[in-house]
Amino acid sequence: MGIRDSLTLTWQDLDQSPLSLFTYCEEAMATKPNTNSSTARLWNANTQATYHRMMEKMQALYFDSLGLPFRDLEFEHFSAAVDAYVQQSKAKSKSGEVSDATKDKLCSILKSLSSFVHEKLPAYSDPCWGSIWNYHKTALPKRFAGKKEELRQLREQEIAEIVKLPRSLQIREEIKFAKVLRKGLNGPDGVFIGGLLMLYLGLRPSECCGLTYRAIQPLTKDGNVKALYIYRALDTSNKSKNQLKTKNAYRVLPIPAELDSLLQERMQYIQKSHPNGCLEDFPIVNSPEDCTKFCTRKHFGDTIRNLLRSIRTNEESLVYASHLLEANKFIKGFRHCFRLIRGARERKIRFFCTIKRGAGGIRGLGYVPCGNRRV
């Protein structure tokens, strides 16, 4: 067994500072996985020493003042640590610049550490996976300067690479994702039924997390067809409010028969675990600790991201979606992994009901086919 395979991590290990955890893991991280030879390395001795010095500097410049253990760090903290290092290096540099290679190394250190922790503790949500760093090269190489034909070819090549990237989950990924979600349906965590709502109906994550079972109502007189009334959402403070993102977000979505049977299965599980409770008042996407409480947006996002990673979703697609969010502030409210899931739903024909809000509550106005259009 190689060094990398023999090292173990526990949740208690994540209570350390980033530097302490890096020091504990760096020898194993420097070794290639799935090898019995301790000499098969990813980093040579000089690279490892350089990375350690960089980590020490980021710890002193940022993480010490932050005072958080590694387990509580988000991607924004990692990005801020890199920025602190870059800003100080710029101040000390005669040219006032920091090379792209140095920036890439800083990002690589933190990404390697968070990825290694996830490798050892799959329940740990790697905040760097699918995220973009703001330190990518923005200028074209000097050798292309002034050569219009080469510049044009370079742009066409970049466009061709972008077009190759899937903009939503592929069919095989949808099938895998649905299977993973169904396996967790009869468990305490409501994220799995929330993921199915996103996959089948194209809901936003805040909409999934803000609804109770009261939102499921008969659409036909015989009750054979049910609909989901979208009229509440979870805000940033994790409270369910009757305030959606836009006025067009209030809608009624007929529930497909397959999703209806999955919802019935979930409701039976909730009723068995809470026989004396009022099901209509329970959140559809509940907290894993308590079926009567709403799931937080952070837990929902982290769990969905880990599930996407477990089915080997193309990380480059998430990075591309993240670039879109940065470029288009109008859609800033979406998280990149959710756009992949909702994008998969948008490829299908679906029906929707417009709804009207008034003193009498919410009522449906009928449904029409909307093709691939987002509602």
Side-chain angles (χ1 to χ4, degrees):
M1 181 181 293
I3 297 175
R4 190 184 187 100
D5 297 327
S6 61
L7 186 136
T8 59
L9 285 178
T10 65
W11 282 105
Q12 287 70 28
D13 292 323
L14 305 193
D15 290 330
Q16 302 179 71
S17 68
L19 176 60
S20 298
L21 184 61
F22 181 83
T23 303
Y24 177 66
C25 299
E26 64 178 314
E27 188 60 38
M29 290 168 59
T31 306
K32 288 184 178 180
N34 304 322
T35 178
N36 292 323
S37 173
S38 60
T39 59
R41 298 176 65 82
L42 293 169
W43 308 337
N44 60 34
N46 290 335
T47 299
Q48 186 174 337
T50 300
Y51 283 2
H52 190 92
R53 287 194 299 270
M54 287 180 160
M55 195 69 195
E56 286 179 329
K57 193 171 180 179
M58 283 191 285
Q59 181 71 41
L61 290 173
Y62 181 75
F63 291 125
D64 279 343
S65 60
L66 188 65
L68 292 177
F70 183 83
R71 68 189 302 168
D72 294 335
L73 296 178
E74 299 290 343
F75 176 73
E76 291 74 16
H77 299 134
F78 292 140
S79 185
V82 173
D83 188 55
Y85 187 109
V86 170
Q87 293 305 319
Q88 192 197 61
S89 298
K90 281 183 177 181
K92 291 185 176 182
S93 172
K94 292 181 180 180
S95 64
E97 295 295 332
V98 177
S99 69
D100 290 326
T102 299
K103 297 172 187 177
D104 289 341
K105 285 178 183 178
L106 293 168
C107 298
S108 177
I109 294 168
L110 296 173
K111 187 170 183 177
S112 296
L113 180 58
S114 62
S115 176
F116 180 79
V117 172
H118 176 78
E119 175 188 322
K120 294 298 178 180
L121 286 172
Y124 167 75
S125 178
D126 179 1
C128 294
W129 187 78
S131 300
I132 58 170
W133 301 85
N134 295 324
Y135 306 102
H136 297 293
K137 299 175 183 177
T138 55
L140 292 171
K142 291 183 179 179
R143 59 190 175 90
F144 286 109
K147 299 180 180 180
K148 293 183 179 181
E149 181 60 25
E150 289 179 323
L151 282 170
R152 185 187 64 80
Q153 292 178 0
L154 178 62
R155 291 194 184 100
E156 289 182 353
Q157 182 181 350
E158 291 174 344
I159 292 171
E161 289 299 320
I162 291 175
V163 170
K164 290 179 183 178
L165 286 174
R167 310 299 170 85
S168 66
L169 293 181
Q170 303 301 291
I171 297 298
R172 62 181 181 277
E173 292 175 330
E174 285 187 57
I175 294 172
K176 288 181 181 179
F177 189 54
K179 286 181 178 179
V180 170
L181 292 172
R182 290 182 181 186
K183 287 180 180 179
L185 206 57
N186 292 313
D189 200 337
V191 170
F192 296 90
I193 189 64
L196 288 167
L197 290 176
M198 292 183 68
L199 196 59
Y200 278 84
L201 299 177
L203 299 190
R204 297 181 176 93
S206 59
E207 294 168 348
C208 291
C209 296
L211 295 173
T212 64
Y213 285 100
R214 192 183 304 276
I216 301 174
Q217 297 292 333
L219 187 62
T220 57
K221 291 183 179 180
D222 57 14
N224 291 333
V225 179
K226 298 183 181 65
L228 187 66
Y229 283 67
I230 313 301
Y231 68 102
R232 301 185 71 86
L234 210 65
D235 63 12
T236 53
S237 61
N238 294 311
K239 293 182 180 179
S240 179
K241 292 186 177 181
N242 184 18
Q243 184 175 358
L244 300 187
K245 187 171 182 178
T246 66
K247 64 180 181 180
N248 294 325
Y250 296 88
R251 59 203 190 276
V252 178
L253 302 176
I255 300 174
E258 187 175 349
L259 177 60
D260 184 39
S261 65
L262 296 172
L263 284 166
Q264 294 297 327
E265 183 180 343
R266 179 64 183 172
M267 287 189 279
Q268 290 175 8
Y269 170 83
I270 298 296
Q271 287 176 325
K272 287 181 180 179
S273 59
H274 291 74
N276 299 324
C278 180
L279 183 64
E280 287 189 341
D281 296 330
F282 285 12
I284 298 178
V285 183
N286 60 273
S287 164
E289 292 82 20
D290 189 345
C291 288
T292 64
K293 294 182 179 180
F294 290 96
C295 173
T296 65
R297 292 162 67 113
K298 183 180 186 306
H299 175 71
F300 188 85
D302 288 347
T303 305
I304 291 294
R305 181 166 53 184
N306 282 340
L307 292 175
L308 287 174
R309 186 173 188 171
S310 70
I311 64 170
R312 300 186 181 279
T313 302
N314 184 357
E315 185 177 2
E316 291 299 320
S317 296
L318 272 76
V319 172
Y320 174 74
S322 300
H323 279 295
L324 282 183
L325 300 190
E326 291 297 323
N328 189 348
K329 300 301 180 184
F330 180 74
I331 57 172
K332 185 79 173 180
F334 298 109
R335 284 187 62 175
H336 42 274
C337 60
F338 298 135
R339 274 194 70 79
L340 286 183
I341 301 170
R342 296 188 69 210
R345 175 62 188 140
E346 287 163 13
R347 292 202 309 267
K348 306 178 180 68
I349 298 296
R350 70 178 175 205
F351 293 83
F352 77 104
C353 293
T354 57
I355 61 177
K356 185 175 181 179
R357 302 171 64 206
I362 303 172
R363 62 188 181 88
L365 301 178
Y367 63 91
V368 294
C370 66
N372 292 334
R373 189 176 55 183
R374 180 183 288 117
V375 297

